[in-house]
Amino acid sequence: MTTAIVHVVDDDRSVRASLTRLLKVAGFEARGYASAGEFLIAERDGAPGCIVLDVSLPGLTGIELHAALQREHDPRPVIFLTGRGNIDMGVCAMKAGAVDFLTKPVDRERLLGAVRLALLRCDHERVRHQASTDLHARLDRLTGREREVFDRVVHGKLNKQIAFELGTSVRTIKAHRAQVMRKMEVDSLAQLVTAAERLSTPA
């Protein structure tokens, strides 16, 4: 299993060193970066983890980096740090999907708690994303006609209605329907409908 990495992005060397040391002592693998640019050009191997991110970075700010990562659909949750944050900034950060918004000097237990929560969220997101990927792969296995049957079945249409619409026999529709169930790896209509609902939800 790939080890999760806590990425600490803060331009204050002493803060960065202190936080990475704290995280390592607590049992986490931690890496430090002095700027958003340094973080972005560093080798990223797709390992799970989270980002402890200073709001006021030189150049690309923490808020801007977070927005850029979201546009890339980066699954790693963010914990914001600030030395002069305010309530409005914190609210905006949380609405943007941040796990927490911490002020410096950072409380040790609150930071570790936020990191644990962020890693749990990352793990959940990776599992959800993999399940979505697997489901789309099953859908891609359907033939064109099976896809037509699938779409009509999940919308509650009966075999005879589908047969009429597609200009074929009920027996043929039943055969296609059995293939749809097999390829989608479901045992009931309810499970097939649930699969269709998940497929309609953005990954």
Side-chain angles (χ1 to χ4, degrees), residues 29-45:
E29 181 175 343
R31 299 177 186 173
Y33 312 85
S35 67
E38 185 178 320
F39 170 76
L40 289 171
I41 64 175
E43 181 179 353
R44 290 191 278 165
D45 55 10

Side-chain angles (χ1 to χ4, degrees), residues 3-9 23 28-31 33 39 47-53 69 74-80 99 111-123 126:
T3 302
I5 302 170
V6 183
H7 303 273
V8 179
V9 188
L23 290 163
F28 299 105
E29 181 175 343
R31 299 177 186 173
Y33 312 85
F39 170 76
C50 66
I51 306 166
V52 178
L53 181 59
L69 293 173
D74 192 306
R76 291 170 296 185
V78 166
I79 300 162
F80 278 115
V99 172
L111 173 64
L112 295 178
V115 167
R116 293 186 186 101
L117 178 60
L119 294 180
L120 283 173
R121 183 183 292 185
C122 179
D123 186 56
R126 285 169 65 88

Side-chain angles (χ1 to χ4, degrees), residues 20 43 45 53-54 68 103 117 131 142 149 162-163 172 176 189 193:
T20 54
E43 181 179 353
D45 55 10
L53 181 59
D54 185 26
T103 55
L117 178 60
L142 301 183
V149 172
I162 300 172
T172 298
H176 285 313
L189 175 58
V193 171

Side-chain angles (χ1 to χ4, degrees), residues 46 72-76 121-137 198-199 201-203:
E72 293 178 4
H73 302 290
D74 192 306
R76 291 170 296 185
R121 183 183 292 185
C122 179
D123 186 56
H124 173 77
E125 177 59 24
R126 285 169 65 88
V127 169
R128 189 193 68 81
H129 180 74
Q130 186 59 54
S132 177
T133 299
D134 292 345
L135 199 54
H136 278 86
R198 289 175 178 168
L199 285 164
T201 302

Side-chain angles (χ1 to χ4, degrees), residues 43-201:
E43 181 179 353
R44 290 191 278 165
D45 55 10
C50 66
I51 306 166
V52 178
L53 181 59
D54 185 26
V55 170
S56 303
L57 293 170
L60 192 70
T61 68
I63 298 293
E64 291 169 338
L65 174 59
H66 185 219
L69 293 173
Q70 288 186 313
R71 287 193 295 272
E72 293 178 4
H73 302 290
D74 192 306
R76 291 170 296 185
V78 166
I79 300 162
F80 278 115
L81 299 180
T82 181
R84 51 181 185 278
N86 56 50
I87 293 176
D88 289 341
M89 186 183 292
V91 169
C92 289
M94 298 301 283
K95 284 184 176 180
V99 172
D100 210 337
F101 189 84
L102 308 178
T103 55
K104 300 175 184 177
V106 180
D107 177 78
R108 177 184 185 279
E109 292 306 318
R110 184 170 177 185
L111 173 64
L112 295 178
V115 167
R116 293 186 186 101
L117 178 60
L119 294 180
L120 283 173
R121 183 183 292 185
C122 179
D123 186 56
H124 173 77
E125 177 59 24
R126 285 169 65 88
V127 169
R128 189 193 68 81
H129 180 74
Q130 186 59 54
S132 177
T133 299
D134 292 345
L135 199 54
H136 278 86
R138 293 177 205 163
L139 185 69
D140 289 341
R141 283 155 42 189
L142 301 183
T143 65
R145 179 46 61 94
E146 288 166 357
R147 181 63 186 270
E148 290 177 324
V149 172
F150 168 82
D151 290 338
R152 286 165 173 78
V153 168
V154 298
H155 281 91
K157 293 189 176 181
L158 302 175
N159 289 339
K160 62 181 181 181
Q161 293 174 304
I162 300 172
F164 176 77
E165 289 183 8
L166 299 182
T168 188
S169 68
V170 171
R171 182 177 179 179
T172 298
I173 295 303
K174 286 181 178 180
H176 285 313
R177 184 166 176 161
Q179 284 291 86
V180 168
M181 299 287 280
R182 183 184 65 81
K183 291 182 179 180
M184 292 302 293
E185 299 179 21
V186 296
D187 299 317
S188 67
L189 175 58
Q191 290 179 353
L192 192 66
V193 171
T194 297
E197 291 173 348
R198 289 175 178 168
L199 285 164
S200 66
T201 302

